[in-house]
Structures are given as C-alpha cells and as structure tokens.
Amino acid sequence: MRAQRDHELAVDALRRSYAAVPPGHPVRLAKRTSNLFRPRSATGTPELDVSGLGGVLSVDPVARTADVQGMCTYEDLVDATLPHGLMPLVVPQLRTITLGGAVTGLGIESTSFRNGLPHESVLELDVLTGAGEVVTAGPDGPHADLFAAFPNSLGSLGYATRLRIELQPVGRAVALRNVRFTRLTELTDAIADVVAKGEWEGRPVDAMDGVVFSPGESYLVLGSFTDEPERLSDYTGQDIYYRSLRRRVRDTLSGHDYLWRWDTDWFWCSAAFGVQHPVVRRLWPARWRRSDVYHRLVRLEHRHQVAARVDRWRGRPARERVVQDVEIPLDGTAEFLRWFDREVGMTPVWLCPLRLREPAGPGSARAWPLYPLHPGRTYVNIGFWGSVPIAAGAADGDVNRSIERAVSELGGHKSLYSDAYYDRAAFDRLYGGETWRAVKDRYDPDHRLTGLYEKAVARR
Ligand SMILES: Cc1cc2nc3c(=O)[nH]c(=O)nc-3n(C[C@H](O)[C@H](O)[C@H](O)COP(=O)(O)OP(=O)(O)OC[C@H]3O[C@@H](n4cnc5c(N)ncnc54)[C@H](O)[C@@H]3O)c2cc1C
C-alpha cells in the first residue's frame, strides 16, 4: 500500500510537471504502458510526471471500498483486493489498463451485464483539471458536472489522481459453462434470459461474455463465483483459453486466472506473433505472454511498418486496421453480427453484454452524457481486432466508416480508444458535445488539454 504522504508528494510532482509544460504545447502523460490503439504523433514536449501515482492507497474490507491512485493498473489493484476476497465491480481484461484509463476511456468486462462500466462504481475522484487545480468530484456537490462528464472524456478535462471505488466479493474460483449456439438469435435470447433472471438452468450467473466463431457457431461463457473449486484449468502455459470454449462444456479457473484469462493471448491476437504455434509457444518466455508485450510489438510495427513492406514486396494488397469495440442494443445484435460477417468477415468476435448499473434496483440507473447509453436497455459490446485487405478502388478507412454507419443505424455506440472517422457534428451528437464543451470551459478555460474530438478523431 502506498502512504498518504507519498501520494500527496506524487500529486505535487504532477502539478509541477503540468505547470512546466509551456502554454500552447500538447499535454501528455509520461506513462510506461497504454492501451490506446490509434498511433499518435510525437510531441517533443516534457510529459506529465505520474511516476508516483500507480499504487493502491487503502482497501476497506468492511465498507468494501478502495482508494486507488489514478495510474494504478488493474493488475496491481486486483493483487491488493483479492487477498480480502474482493474485486472491483468490473475488471477490464488487460492487465495494464489503469483505473483512471478505464474510467475516462470506458473499460468493460463480463460482470458488466450487472455492474455496468467501471465509472459506475466510482464513489468520488480527485482530478487535476486543465486549470491546474486538484478538485474532488462526486455524484453530488460542486463538481458533479465534472464527475458526470469525466467518463469518455479521455483526459480532455483533467487527469484522475485518486479514485474511491466500490468492491464486491469474488469466490476463490469461477465455474464456467460454455454454452454453444448454432443460431445467433438463440444466443441473443439466452443473453436476455440471463439478464432477466440472473441465472441459467438454475445456477446463478455472476459473469457473462462470449465468442462468435461464425454465425453458426457461437458461445456464451457463463461464470459462477464459487469457493468450492473443482480441478482448476491453467491457460497461462501451453493451453490457449479461447480454444477451450469449443472443446469444453464446463471448466473452472481460479478467481485470479479468470480475471486475466484473456490477457495471456490478448484474446486470440497473440496468433499474429506466432505465439499460438506449439514450438514458438514453448520457446516464448511465459512472462512475455501478456497483452502489454504484444501491444509493444504492435507499436514497433506501427513505427517501422515491416509487415506492410513485406506485403508490398510480395504484391499483396495494403491492409486497413479494424480494431474496434462497439455497443449494439441487444435486439439489433444478431443483425449486426450477420452484417459484420458478410461485409467485414473477421473472426473470432468477442461479445460482452452490458447494462447501465442499477444500484438501487430497477429504474435506478443514471445516464452519462459523454457516452449516452439508455438506462434499462441491454447492449452487447462486440469487439474485433485485426485488419482486412483494402479492396481495389477502396480507400484506407472505408471499412471503419461503414462500421460507424452500421453502428449508428442500429442505435449503438463506439468506444474511442481506436480509429474514428466521424465529422465534428456527428461526433458532437453522439458523444455529448454540448455538455463536454460546457464542462471543458469551466475546468480547462484556456483549453490547454487536447480536445476530445482532436484526440479521438484527429489522433492528437
Ligand atoms: C485492442 C484493445 C482491446 C481493448 N479491449 C478492451 C476490453 O476488452 N475491455 C476493456 O475494458 N477495455 C478494452 N480496451 C480499452 C481500454 O480499456 C481503454 O483504451 C482504456 O482507456 C485504456 O486505459 P489505459 O490505462 O491503458 O489508458 P491509456 O491508454 O494510457 O490512455 C487512454 C486515454 O485515457 C487518458 N487517461 C489515462 N489515464 C488517465 C487518468 N488517470 N485520468 C484521465 N485520463 C486518463 C489518456 O490521456 C488517454 O487519452 C481495449 C483497448 C484496445 C487497444
């Protein structure tokens, strides 16, 4: 645990480094890891010192809350809460996602069908605003506008330095049922059923996500927390988790391994580096089977374009990066998946049902202006991460643009961690532009921090 005094010194260091950025120059975090996907131009300006803001300040097992620094990774956060039999209400799958990053950039995971998104279990947060002040924002009080607009602001309003979050009990293990469907409508009916009843075939469901391998072969993974584990599987070695869904009807993982089940192979994306080949896998050090290692390799490729050059040399078409997570209302999910299979054709695809959290029962959900999901409506997050060949006569970005159109037509939303192509008017309409501007003017009156549109679409 980090001492309160060290935290105060770290916040002072952050403020000083912010003051040292010359006006008019872009402001960036000096952070070791990132889960942003869009490439950004280098700035050459000194970055913000967040070196002392990566820890957990305290865990209160009785109140079931934790005080956590803004740049604490979920890996470190979970290491501090699991010994108490507790976990954050939503733990994004990638180990190096930070609490501040998930709250400002919207994380999601298999508990989201019940617990919503990470910001919905934040009780209060300290923010270094664009004006250089540290304010404490909560759902009520003088900074309630900042609290409401912070989720999906991507650091354009300020940086979270400390967050108080709720925790929930987790079993020592998670028992999984991998339920196969041959029709997409049966899969979406099953999601509706689990959401309505909180159980499947008589057993409570604490976590739910899924994978589509093709419209005729999809799986829901239904997890139940348990303290009486059967034999535990291990997917950190030679076995690969996503493949197990097709082989096994039931499975059990330790609570810890369940939370990081997707990190080891970055869902299935480690295949791009050969890590799923049995020989390479045996030689690839276990400590490198992590999403941040793969992410670093992707960044190297962005910089040096080795694969793109080899493709050109072999006469292969250039490729468009299609790395997105989109939220589609449940009743349009089967239609979107069929359209995606036909028009884009990337597999597998990750599914994660979500609803805004209803902390005091049905009807108690609140809406969040910069990512306006409807209270009481079930959505499915659909994640796809790869690339497609650019067809003759098409331009780079066309496939992403057609996805943006399909998502909007179905009443969905798109996360902003990757490429986006909206014009400003559409962006403002979809992402609460008016609210964002009012809060920006109040907390960053000189607009020193890069704007949301400039970050998300203009890649600044
Ligand atoms: C391939 C891929 C798959 C993904 N899959 C998932 C997934 O399955 N589940 C999931 O939950 N999420 C997923 N994400 C999204 C991820 O949760 C978000 O991108 C999140 O913002 C990353 O957090 P980070 O801590 O790595 O932030 P960074 O990548 O470092 O930063 C993201 C943005 O947030 C800002 N920021 C960072 N920290 C703070 C802070 N303390 N206060 C204010 N602003 C801050 C930065 O300025 C930046 O604009 C995925 C992303 C990628 C690239």
Side-chain angles (χ1 to χ4, degrees), residues 89-90 108-117 190-199 204-209 221-223 225 258 352-358 377-380:
L89 268 64
V90 180
I108 185 164
E109 231 289 275
S110 57
T111 51
S112 289
F113 77 101
R114 182 173 288 161
N115 295 339
L117 301 176
I191 292 173
D193 212 39
V194 173
V195 166
K197 298 187 190 137
E199 57 158 56
V205 175
D206 298 301
M208 163 164 64
D209 66 342
V221 181
L222 305 175
F225 299 153
Y258 175 76
C352 187
L354 81 142
R355 283 165 70 84
L356 288 174
R357 185 175 174 217
E358 300 186 319
R377 184 179 290 176
T378 302
Y379 294 81
V380 178

Side-chain angles (χ1 to χ4, degrees), residues 37 268-269 272 319-324 340 344 346-348 383-389 400 417-419:
F37 221 79
W268 31 82
C269 301
R319 299 186 73 83
E320 174 177 346
R321 184 176 54 234
V322 182
V323 172
Q324 301 291 351
F340 186 81
V344 184
M346 280 166 43
T347 59
F384 32 90
W385 314 293
S387 64
V388 293
N400 279 285
Y417 68 76
S418 184
D419 304 296

